[in-house]
Amino acid sequence: MKLKYILLSAVAGATMILTGCKKDYLELNSTEFISYDQLLEASRKDPGLLAGTVNGLYATMYQVGSGGTTGHDDFGQKGYDIFLDMLSGDMALIGVTYGWYTPVVRFQASLDYTRNNNYQPWRFYYRLILGANTVLDALGGDTIPQTEPERRHIAGQAKAMRAYAYFYLTQFYSKEYGDGTEKILPIYTNTKMVNQPKSTTKQVFDLMVKDLDTAQNYLSDFNRATKDQVNSNVAKGMLAYVLAYRGTQEDLERVVTLTQEIVDANPLTTPDETVARFVNGVLQNPQSGFNNVATPSWIWGVDLTLASNLDLVSWWGQMDYFTYSYAGAGDAKVMDASLQASIKADDIRRGQFHSTGRPLQKFFDPARKAMGQRSVTTDYIYMRTDEFLLLNAEAKVRLGQDGPARDALKLLLDERVTDYAYVDALSGPGLLDEIYKQTRIELWGEGKSYLAMKRLKKSITRGPNHLYFAGNTYAYNAPELTFPIPQAEVLNNPVLNN
């Protein structure tokens, strides 16, 4: 992969911003956009210009076509959250009128390296890596320490986003951590590197941990302007996921510390924010719907506006019955029937789902008009406090700390169920299984169940409402649940397997 030639999709938004400001630094040629070399030269004179480039990275997170295709399932991170929920088995596709996700649920994308769905995440996450490396190159290079606050904050965000992209690549394209010697992905740490061979799992994880440790340090005094920006809490959350997946005792001890810091600093999602309530058909709690980035428990997300220019080709356009959507027009995505049946009768989250499994009371446009929202202004969620309370409980039980793990789990259940006394009788594997189930229920539709399945090495069994392979069981490391490196990379990178 010649990364520098996949250039500036990740910073396209930034270049447009830059052409409208600081024009004394920008000597444009015969185009309205600055070139890559001009960006680097301009940023040497004013590093603050790179803040616009970082904002371009965040825009790529929800950009249509950022996976290199014109498909209506190609719209950034939330599109890959759907991929992962489907691979985990927790999200069932119950209609194929349009069939955008058929290659994923039929495992064609996992078993055939020529499929577009297989290519999209690779293209998307390496675009993020390219954008991050562009920023770091302009700051002097990947290894140059940054001491001036503005430069530190920019470098910290870039390093966090690079690690984030590598983490998701490890989830999609490698089966497990193993002993660390498995060769899985090419590493690129600057924009001048030509094709690289696959690095080992250990090398990729060491890079992510180093990047995120630096990011936490650099962002410790960063006060972000909007929630789409990575701050110290978000970097801690990213690092917690990386360490929990690698899973050494030292890693898990750090996960407990990191997640506790996040939980201590941020509120949980309240019952009124968790599920819609109605009186005579009238919504009583407009703070519900998982549609507003201002929700206090959201620690990372994006405020979508009309200027974001999203419509049918979006997460809402694929998932929400109350948006002009594929979900409303024949391709509904629902909760796995077996998982839905496992939700306790006194659990408020049972009310998030229609009897068919549709998430009608969890995710919705506030107007709640069938197929109503045409231009998407409902927001995207990337991280919230609750997932880190669950990860905290999980890490504790993996360390043999059953009592503290039960206490952490009960903090969440106190907001969700009437009676959770049964937790006191759980320990060891049984307690871990319960935490895993609660993770799947709490975070359904948010792209996190697959991550939990792989780090806990769980098998999944598709419930009876899946159109394909209902009742089949797959191990976390089965070929069906991991994508192979796509054909485009295999053909274009002659040193990939060296």
Side-chain angles (χ1 to χ4, degrees), residues 275-337:
V275 58
R277 291 185 295 103
F278 302 90
V279 173
N280 297 324
V282 178
L283 180 67
Q284 299 299 297
N285 51 332
Q287 64 269 53
S288 61
F290 286 84
N291 53 36
N292 189 348
V293 74
T295 305
S297 64
W298 290 26
I299 66 172
W300 194 27
V302 60
D303 180 13
L304 297 177
T305 67
L306 291 175
S308 306
N309 198 31
L310 295 183
D311 45 38
L312 176 65
V313 187
S314 65
W315 186 90
W316 292 96
Q318 285 290 354
M319 291 291 299
D320 179 31
Y321 177 75
F322 301 103
T323 295
Y324 184 73
S325 67
Y326 288 103
D331 287 14
K333 293 89 178 167
V334 305
M335 180 178 260
D336 174 87

Side-chain angles (χ1 to χ4, degrees), residues 171-211:
Q171 300 304 285
F172 270 108
Y173 296 99
S174 68
K175 292 181 179 179
E176 55 190 321
Y177 186 86
D179 64 7
T181 63
E182 307 83 2
K183 292 188 174 183
I184 55 169
L185 302 167
I187 288 177
Y188 298 90
T189 55
N190 64 65
T191 59
K192 304 300 182 184
M193 296 171 73
V194 294
N195 291 317
Q196 294 296 303
K198 288 185 284 189
S199 294
T200 66
T201 311
K202 182 180 186 303
Q203 290 169 326
V204 177
F205 273 76
D206 285 349
L207 174 64
M208 289 189 285
V209 172
K210 182 180 178 182
D211 273 352

Side-chain angles (χ1 to χ4, degrees), residues 80-356:
Y80 305 120
D81 286 349
I82 295 175
F83 279 28
L84 293 178
D85 274 343
M86 287 180 169
L87 288 174
S88 78
D90 285 354
M91 182 180 288
L93 182 66
I94 61 169
V96 289
T97 304
Y98 300 92
W100 284 110
Y101 293 91
T102 303
V104 176
V105 297
R106 293 184 65 188
F107 301 132
Q108 293 165 317
S110 356
L111 300 175
D112 180 357
Y113 80 151
T114 69
R115 293 277 177 167
N116 264 352
N117 291 126
N118 164 277
Y119 165 76
Q120 287 168 218
W122 185 273
R123 176 81 166 186
F124 171 73
Y125 291 112
Y126 272 111
R127 274 186 169 172
L128 290 181
I129 290 164
L130 172 65
N133 285 339
T134 301
V135 172
L136 294 168
D137 281 0
L139 288 169
D142 179 63
T143 61
I144 301 298
Q146 303 296 334
T147 56
E148 190 276 322
E150 187 174 23
R151 296 172 71 94
R152 277 194 295 106
H153 298 160
I154 293 168
Q157 292 173 78
K159 283 181 174 285
M161 289 301 294
R162 183 169 70 183
Y164 177 80
Y166 275 120
F167 177 69
Y168 272 91
L169 285 167
T170 69
Q171 300 304 285
F172 270 108
Y173 296 99
S174 68
K175 292 181 179 179
E176 55 190 321
Y177 186 86
D179 64 7
T181 63
E182 307 83 2
K183 292 188 174 183
I184 55 169
L185 302 167
I187 288 177
Y188 298 90
T189 55
N190 64 65
T191 59
K192 304 300 182 184
M193 296 171 73
V194 294
N195 291 317
Q196 294 296 303
K198 288 185 284 189
S199 294
T200 66
T201 311
K202 182 180 186 303
Q203 290 169 326
V204 177
F205 273 76
D206 285 349
L207 174 64
M208 289 189 285
V209 172
K210 182 180 178 182
D211 273 352
L212 290 167
D213 278 335
T214 301
Q216 279 189 87
N217 178 37
Y218 281 3
L219 297 173
S220 60
D221 59 350
F222 174 54
N223 295 313
R224 63 184 178 181
T226 54
K227 276 191 182 178
D228 64 329
Q229 297 175 310
V230 172
N231 65 4
S232 181
N233 268 334
V234 175
K236 287 177 184 177
M238 293 176 179
L239 181 57
Y241 274 115
V242 170
L243 295 173
Y245 186 76
R246 190 169 64 179
T248 68
Q249 176 155 331
E250 182 182 356
D251 288 338
L252 294 174
E253 289 169 352
R254 289 197 69 194
V255 171
V256 170
T257 300
L258 291 163
T259 54
Q260 192 64 55
E261 289 173 356
I262 294 170
V263 171
D264 288 346
N266 301 277
L268 297 177
T269 306
T270 67
D272 272 346
E273 292 161 351
T274 298
V275 58
R277 291 185 295 103
F278 302 90
V279 173
N280 297 324
V282 178
L283 180 67
Q284 299 299 297
N285 51 332
Q287 64 269 53
S288 61
F290 286 84
N291 53 36
N292 189 348
V293 74
T295 305
S297 64
W298 290 26
I299 66 172
W300 194 27
V302 60
D303 180 13
L304 297 177
T305 67
L306 291 175
S308 306
N309 198 31
L310 295 183
D311 45 38
L312 176 65
V313 187
S314 65
W315 186 90
W316 292 96
Q318 285 290 354
M319 291 291 299
D320 179 31
Y321 177 75
F322 301 103
T323 295
Y324 184 73
S325 67
Y326 288 103
D331 287 14
K333 293 89 178 167
V334 305
M335 180 178 260
D336 174 87
S338 299
L339 180 61
Q340 185 174 9
S342 76
I343 304 175
K344 292 173 82 263
D346 64 342
D347 190 329
I348 63 170
R349 295 168 300 184
R350 193 175 185 89
Q352 292 176 329
F353 300 92
H354 185 265
S355 60
T356 61

